[in-house]
Amino acid sequence: MGTDRYTKYDLHCHSTASDGELSPTALVEYAVQNGVEVLALTDHDVTDGLAEAAGAARAHGLGFVSGVEISVTWDTYLLHIVGLNFDVANVTLQQGLAGLRRQREARATEMARRLDKLGFDGSLEGARCYANGQILSRTHFARHLHACGRVKTLQEAFDRYLGTGKPAYVKTEWTSLETAVQWITAAGGEAVIAHPGRYKLSATKLRRLIEAFKAVGGRALEVISGSQDINMTRNLADYVRRYELHASLGSDYHGPSQTWRHMGRLPPLPQGCEPVWRLWE
Ligand code: AMP
Ligand code: MN
Ligand code: MN
Ligand code: MN
């Protein structure tokens, strides 16, 4: 059961359909064991895990919300826009996501070419061993490099090779903020700026992002994200109130090897934040 200490909602997490480590069923079971009562699965650019997760959620009496985390290019930044509570069968959304997955394939090929040039042979096949779903993520490359003993931690793989501006980083023009929001709203869902604190935006840039997002129909901000510090939460809650947005929250759980991130341990939304679930409950 949820307590006053922890929220019962978790509207951001990943399964093996993208770069999570747990199958949709195992993820749902883990969520239930940790006191989550309403869950959204938000895999990167793919909704393939939703049917299995929804079935498992039904079996366990867990509230379930459809979700996805869309890769977006805005200004010079790679942003993540979460979609919640949409019609999974919507063709506009699904065609859009399919396009992003094709971009991911092309990017993975180029990433692998660069890693091979750095002396790491077989990077593409290696990364694929860690991907069960339809998408190849930098996380899968990081797991491969780690398993080969090329790096000591996943973080090191990003710091040395895969992170922005590093030798195997392939700059990609993902979809626009406007288009991502349109896909989500066309499918009857709510668009949420995921973990706004993680993009290293100046206050001016963050205001510009929020204004651009609102102008195209975005309605919510993720105010609480797993392993985010309290000052950032307060800061984001201020933006939500000032811009009259709704607030979302989620662990961004990817699996047990992310030992610093759990489910069922997020605090409730700060006072005065209108929860995003009011838009559909
Ligand atoms: P991609 O969507 O393929 O560009 O991969 C981005 C994913 O890599 C994110 O969703 C995170 O799960 C993971 N990631 C990004 N940066 C880091 C990092 N510094 N350390 C570990 N994982 C990261
Ligand atoms: Mn991820
Ligand atoms: Mn993200
Ligand atoms: Mn995520």
Side-chain angles (χ1 to χ4, degrees), residues 82-105:
V82 159
L84 294 174
N85 197 48
F86 49 81
D87 169 18
V88 179
N90 182 272
V91 175
T92 304
L93 174 67
Q94 289 301 344
Q95 285 179 346
L97 297 179
L100 290 175
R101 292 195 294 271
R102 286 192 292 275
Q103 285 183 276
R104 277 184 175 277
E105 271 302 306

Side-chain angles (χ1 to χ4, degrees), residues 139-199:
T139 310
H140 301 125
F141 282 91
R143 285 186 193 139
H144 166 66
L145 292 173
H146 183 242
C148 294
R150 305 291 191 166
V151 291
K152 290 195 183 66
T153 60
L154 296 191
Q155 183 62 47
E156 188 187 339
F158 280 87
D159 291 346
R160 288 180 63 184
Y161 305 112
L162 304 169
T164 311
K166 301 301 175 192
Y169 180 76
V170 180
K171 200 170 180 310
T172 305
E173 187 75 21
W174 302 104
T175 197
S176 69
L177 183 63
E178 176 169 24
T179 307
V181 174
Q182 279 169 357
W183 293 343
I184 296 163
T185 49
E190 298 300 335
V192 183
I193 302 178
H195 43 65
R198 243 190 275 162
Y199 307 121

Side-chain angles (χ1 to χ4, degrees), residues 20 45 69 96-97 103 107 122-123 126 138 162 197 200 230 258 260 272:
D45 305 325
E69 182 171 20
L97 297 179
Q103 285 183 276
R107 180 189 68 154
S123 303
R138 281 184 285 165
L162 304 169
K200 304 190 176 87
I230 181 71
Q258 265 185 334
W260 61 95

Side-chain angles (χ1 to χ4, degrees), residues 12 44 69 80 195 198 252:
H12 187 152
H44 297 283
E69 182 171 20
H80 286 166
H195 43 65
R198 243 190 275 162
D252 207 3

Side-chain angles (χ1 to χ4, degrees), residues 5-277:
R5 188 159 169 224
Y6 300 127
T7 177
K8 62 179 185 171
Y9 290 86
D10 193 328
L11 303 180
H12 187 152
C13 63
H14 298 272
S15 75
T16 47
S18 67
D19 60 348
E21 296 170 275
L22 300 182
S23 71
T25 299
L27 184 72
V28 161
E29 286 167 356
Y30 173 77
V32 169
Q33 281 158 16
N34 286 277
V36 174
E37 295 177 27
V38 180
L39 181 76
L41 171 60
T42 55
D43 278 309
H44 297 283
D45 305 325
V46 73
T47 61
D48 288 358
L50 295 181
E52 182 187 322
R58 220 174 298 122
H60 288 279
L62 174 76
F64 188 74
V65 177
S66 58
V68 67
E69 182 171 20
I70 302 180
S71 307
V72 162
T73 298
W74 176 78
D75 198 293
T76 58
Y77 300 90
L78 163 58
L79 302 183
H80 286 166
I81 300 296
V82 159
L84 294 174
N85 197 48
F86 49 81
D87 169 18
V88 179
N90 182 272
V91 175
T92 304
L93 174 67
Q94 289 301 344
Q95 285 179 346
L97 297 179
L100 290 175
R101 292 195 294 271
R102 286 192 292 275
Q103 285 183 276
R104 277 184 175 277
E105 271 302 306
R107 180 189 68 154
T109 305
E110 177 59 17
M111 236 177 338
R113 198 187 62 81
R114 294 190 193 183
L115 286 169
D116 288 356
K117 258 175 79 177
L118 290 163
F120 306 154
D121 283 349
S123 303
L124 192 58
E125 298 70 25
R128 272 198 215 287
C129 292
Y130 294 89
N132 291 311
Q134 276 201 61
I135 71 143
L136 261 183
S137 158
R138 281 184 285 165
T139 310
H140 301 125
F141 282 91
R143 285 186 193 139
H144 166 66
L145 292 173
H146 183 242
C148 294
R150 305 291 191 166
V151 291
K152 290 195 183 66
T153 60
L154 296 191
Q155 183 62 47
E156 188 187 339
F158 280 87
D159 291 346
R160 288 180 63 184
Y161 305 112
L162 304 169
T164 311
K166 301 301 175 192
Y169 180 76
V170 180
K171 200 170 180 310
T172 305
E173 187 75 21
W174 302 104
T175 197
S176 69
L177 183 63
E178 176 169 24
T179 307
V181 174
Q182 279 169 357
W183 293 343
I184 296 163
T185 49
E190 298 300 335
V192 183
I193 302 178
H195 43 65
R198 243 190 275 162
Y199 307 121
K200 304 190 176 87
L201 301 172
S202 66
T204 309
K205 272 276 162 73
L206 181 54
R207 281 200 301 273
R208 270 195 49 215
L209 169 62
I210 292 172
E211 284 161 15
F213 178 68
K214 272 195 79 162
V216 297
R219 295 215 278 183
L221 223 63
E222 215 170 66
V223 165
I224 298 174
S225 179
S227 66
Q228 175 177 285
D229 83 76
I230 181 71
N231 292 318
M232 180 57 73
T233 299
R234 289 189 183 128
N235 185 22
L236 294 173
D238 282 341
Y239 281 105
V240 158
R241 289 184 290 249
R242 195 171 341 142
Y243 283 93
E244 298 182 313
L245 289 158
H246 286 70
S248 187
L249 82 187
S251 60
D252 207 3
Y253 184 73
H254 281 70
S257 60
Q258 265 185 334
T259 50
W260 61 95
R261 233 177 248 171
H262 308 273
M263 275 188 161
R265 295 287 178 277
L266 296 178
L269 287 170
Q271 292 264 314
C273 286
E274 191 67 8
V276 68
W277 50 88

